Amino acid sequence: MTAVLLVAGVSTPAHAEVLHPRQDWLRASTSGLFLHWGMRTNPGYTSCSAWEAAVTGGGWSAQYWVDEAKKLHAQYLVLASFHSRLGYARAWPSAIPGSCSTKRDFLGELIDAADEEGVKVINYMTDDPQWHDEGGHEWLDSAGYSKYKGKSVNLQERPGFGQFSYDNFVEVMARYPKLAGFWIDNDNAYWEQNGLYERIRRDRPDMVLSNNNEDTAIMDTISNEQKTGMTPNYDYPQAVYTAAPRLIEACFKLPSSGAWWYSGSNSAVDYKLTLGRLITNAGSDVKALMAETAMVNGRFPSNQAAFNNFTNTYLGDIWESIGGTYGGGYLHGGLKPGFWNDGAHGVTTVSKTDPNLHYVHVLTTPSGSTLKVRDNGYKVSRVTNLRTGADVTWSQAAGTITLNGISNWDQYDTVFKVETAGREGVIPPSSYTMSASANGSGHPASHAADGNYQTYWDATGAGTVSLRFDLGSAKKVSYVALNQREDSTTYPASNSARIKNYNVYTSDDGSKWTKVRSGSLANHRAVQFIDLPANTTTRHVRVEKTSTQGKAQLRVDEAWLGQY
């Protein structure tokens, strides 16, 4: 039976196929290599045959792209040649006139070479004809396509271009049985009105569909394009607005500035920014689609080639902490990521095969030799430096792991391997009854403690709203833990729907309440903790939100209580 789960929410549309077996390979992936490569790749060509001759004469090789992707530890490639700003070139033979189509099957060669290495290929398709005359040259042949269709079709307008591109979808998916899917640049009304996505699902149910910047329900993935402005600047997930477990991709450029395609320059690659993006994405269950600027002959400028060579070894040394892991602090448990002590920042990951094996990635180092990370209830048994294998001195108390005596921080990512003996002190959510002062339709308070991240409590837009735990009998309670819904960005803060100011009350009888804590939560993703006074023993706990970071809306996926 097909496993399809339905999610309703603000950013994830109703009826979205959040989980489906066709997505398995992409969910198992960490990253992809995005290749923008067409007739306007510098030096540009206006003749399709001349461009093809230059590509072949320059020694283009599909294997080169596959090898470079593997150096990046990427599991898939996205080829963007049918791109509006690159001349709408189709790097494959086509029976459909309308734009450049090569006689040599570059796409087919790439699919075959990648398949031999266990790498997937996705083909980019654009929705938009607005750059049909980019650079002063007309790239679209309306007359040729009209003759082919037996009617007048204007490719310079969206309906006509939608028809032309629809035909190309159909031709490509029929010709390349090993093509893994389409990366689609937004939507075209003609596609939607004529059931393009439904046809792809019918004809090629194995294909994944990724949509750029729009969370279209029928798509498998939303790709978030080139986010900047976060603090730290590499923390791409701050600006991602889709909640896991929906497949999420972060699309960004190498080099980080300039065009997505080769424009003739050998721009520098910011190693710290790029590696930071890759690792924070992995620590947030976000796929990193890294764009490199292939030249006409397919080769990368020397600065990008050097980065790939460096990354091959650099990631290889710590790959167990990235490949085969989940992001920590959210859906799959794990230690708390984000901002730690003394200016430190990073993410955590959890092994997919051993839920008690964790990794701490320190991307911005603390000012001293000590690191403190919230343990989220995991009982630590050993800590080692993953690169050196050396044991690390550590202690654990009051919900925090403290690593001491660290003198050699890696310039990009210091990784600590944290072995644990399971979780302790988490009061089972099944043991308490949940209620709230406000509930959105279909999203009651009980959803905040059902262990299912497909459901959530909707606190609505109420300015002050509270979530209440009834433990059934008095118990020691040391902290409240909250996973607020991840479809709220943290950057920009004006779009954030996370708790800012709060109060916590306790009660023995559910009628008389005592305020035991008030304060503010940081505007951060992943698990957040509110510590209660030492030796708090109570039956009822009420968490009251009095303000949010930006939007008044609040949604909580899961909340629980714990003991030290």
Side-chain angles (χ1 to χ4, degrees):
M1 181 177 178
T2 300
V4 178
L5 299 184
L6 307 183
V7 169
V10 172
S11 293
T12 302
H15 311 302
E17 291 183 299
V18 175
L19 296 173
H20 194 283
R22 67 173 168 268
Q23 304 165 358
D24 288 350
W25 72 265
L26 186 52
R27 290 190 177 277
S29 300
T30 300
S31 61
L33 175 57
F34 206 4
L35 299 158
H36 289 72
W37 181 75
M39 289 182 71
R40 299 194 71 245
T41 297
N42 186 277
Y45 291 82
T46 55
S47 164
C48 188
S49 59
W51 174 60
E52 179 176 351
V55 171
T56 297
W60 180 89
S61 164
Q63 189 63 49
Y64 172 80
W65 279 352
V66 175
D67 290 344
E68 294 301 296
K70 292 179 70 176
K71 290 178 184 178
L72 290 168
H73 288 71
Q75 293 78 35
Y76 62 103
L77 300 111
V78 179
L79 177 61
S81 62
F82 187 64
H83 186 287
S84 51
R85 304 296 291 274
L86 287 171
Y88 300 93
R90 292 170 292 169
W92 60 87
S94 175
I96 306 166
S99 70
C100 166
S101 174
T102 60
K103 291 182 172 56
R104 181 177 174 183
D105 193 354
F106 298 103
L107 175 60
E109 290 182 38
L110 181 61
I111 293 169
D112 288 340
D115 184 63
E116 286 292 320
E117 302 283 353
V119 176
K120 300 287 188 179
V121 174
I122 296 173
N123 195 42
Y124 171 104
M125 299 291 276
T126 187
D127 71 307
D128 193 353
Q130 67 173 300
W131 288 286
H132 63 88
D133 57 355
E134 181 80 359
H137 176 79
E138 178 57 56
W139 303 96
L140 297 176
D141 179 11
S142 295
Y145 183 69
S146 295
K147 182 178 180 181
Y148 168 77
K149 298 295 286 187
K151 61 181 181 180
S152 178
V153 181
N154 186 351
L155 298 188
Q156 298 176 8
E157 298 177 348
R158 290 186 68 86
F161 185 81
Q163 187 173 359
F164 170 60
S165 51
Y166 185 112
D167 288 349
N168 277 272
F169 274 102
V170 174
E171 181 183 59
V172 167
M173 68 178 171
R175 175 175 292 169
Y176 302 106
K178 291 186 289 187
L179 183 67
F182 291 110
W183 199 96
I184 300 169
D185 205 346
N186 301 315
D187 283 318
N188 183 290
Y190 181 92
W191 301 345
E192 295 171 325
Q193 293 162 3
N194 291 274
L196 171 64
Y197 306 137
E198 291 78 8
R199 178 164 184 174
I200 295 171
R201 289 283 179 252
R202 183 182 70 244
D203 293 357
R204 288 291 304 275
D206 59 308
M207 278 187 161
V208 296
L209 298 177
S210 180
N211 206 187
N212 184 29
N213 292 327
E214 293 183 16
D215 196 355
T216 304
I218 199 171
M219 301 291 185
D220 296 288
T221 307
I222 175 171
S223 190
N224 299 268
E225 181 181 321
Q226 192 67 13
K227 307 298 184 184
T228 59
M230 292 73 69
T231 303
N233 64 343
Y234 56 75
D235 192 9
Y236 208 110
Q238 285 188 44
V240 169
Y241 55 88
T242 311
R246 187 141 171 82
L247 262 170
I248 309 164
E249 186 181 68
C251 176
F252 55 92
K253 295 182 285 190
L254 281 71
S256 56
S257 61
W260 291 87
W261 48 87
Y262 180 65
S263 59
S265 63
N266 185 20
S267 300
V269 178
D270 186 330
Y271 284 38
K272 187 170 183 63
L273 174 63
T274 304
L275 290 169
R277 283 173 166 173
L278 173 61
I279 294 163
T280 52
N281 286 327
S284 305
D285 284 329
V286 174
K287 311 307 170 187
L289 182 57
M290 300 174 283
E292 296 200 322
T293 59
M295 298 182 284
V296 170
N297 63 3
R299 299 275 167 170
F300 298 122
S302 61
N303 286 333
Q304 292 170 62
F307 175 80
N308 294 352
N309 290 334
F310 171 81
T311 302
N312 187 29
T313 300
Y314 186 81
L315 292 183
D317 291 343
I318 58 169
W319 190 243
E320 70 172 76
S321 68
I322 301 172
T325 64
Y326 296 114
Y330 189 63
L331 178 63
H332 303 284
L335 311 176
K336 184 181 183 299
F339 291 87
W340 298 312
N341 63 293
D342 300 327
H345 180 272
V347 293
T348 69
T349 53
V350 186
S351 168
K352 289 183 177 180
T353 57
D354 182 356
N356 292 319
L357 181 56
H358 304 261
Y359 302 90
V360 177
H361 295 263
V362 185
L363 299 163
T364 298
T365 60
S367 56
S369 59
T370 299
L371 181 72
K372 296 181 179 182
V373 178
R374 288 298 295 250
D375 61 28
N376 202 6
Y378 290 93
K379 184 179 180 180
V380 177
S381 57
R382 188 185 182 195
V383 181
T384 53
N385 184 307
L386 184 59
R387 292 187 186 279
T388 66
D391 283 308
V392 175
T393 301
W394 60 275
S395 60
Q396 185 175 16
T400 298
I401 311 165
T402 301
L403 311 184
N404 293 304
I406 305 165
S407 57
N408 294 315
W409 298 99
D410 185 87
Q411 63 178 324
Y412 303 125
D413 182 20
T414 305
V415 187
F416 298 107
K417 183 176 182 178
V418 181
E419 300 171 53
T420 72
R423 298 178 88 173
E424 59 182 8
V426 176
I427 303 173
S430 60
S431 71
Y432 33 79
T433 302
M434 305 296 292
S435 59
S437 62
N439 298 282
S441 177
H443 304 287
S446 60
H447 283 177
D450 62 1
N452 181 2
Y453 283 79
Q454 295 294 312
T455 64
Y456 57 91
W457 167 54
D458 183 358
T460 72
T464 298
V465 66
S466 60
L467 180 67
R468 177 171 155 181
F469 305 74
D470 180 354
L471 295 167
S473 61
K475 292 182 175 65
K476 178 184 177 182
V477 180
S478 302
Y479 64 87
V480 181
L482 298 164
N483 269 140
Q484 298 168 87
R485 192 149 175 81
E486 294 288 278
D487 58 3
S488 169
T489 63
T490 65
Y491 176 83
S494 59
N495 288 337
S496 179
R498 288 178 169 77
I499 296 171
K500 183 177 182 180
N501 295 313
Y502 67 84
N503 298 311
V504 180
Y505 301 84
T506 61
S507 173
D508 293 328
D509 59 8
S511 298
K512 183 179 180 181
W513 295 89
T514 301
K515 184 191 292 187
V516 296
R517 183 70 72 205
S518 62
S520 298
L521 286 181
N523 188 21
H524 299 156
R525 298 173 72 94
V527 61
Q528 301 295 322
F529 296 96
I530 301 173
D531 288 314
L532 304 189
N535 301 316
T536 295
T537 300
T538 187
R539 172 176 170 173
H540 300 273
V541 176
R542 191 175 86 223
V543 180
E544 180 183 74
K545 179 270 293 184
T546 59
S547 66
T548 51
Q549 296 288 346
K551 297 183 295 184
Q553 184 74 43
L554 172 65
R555 297 177 297 275
V556 175
D557 271 325
E558 295 300 315
W560 62 98
L561 304 176
Q563 307 163 338
Y564 301 140

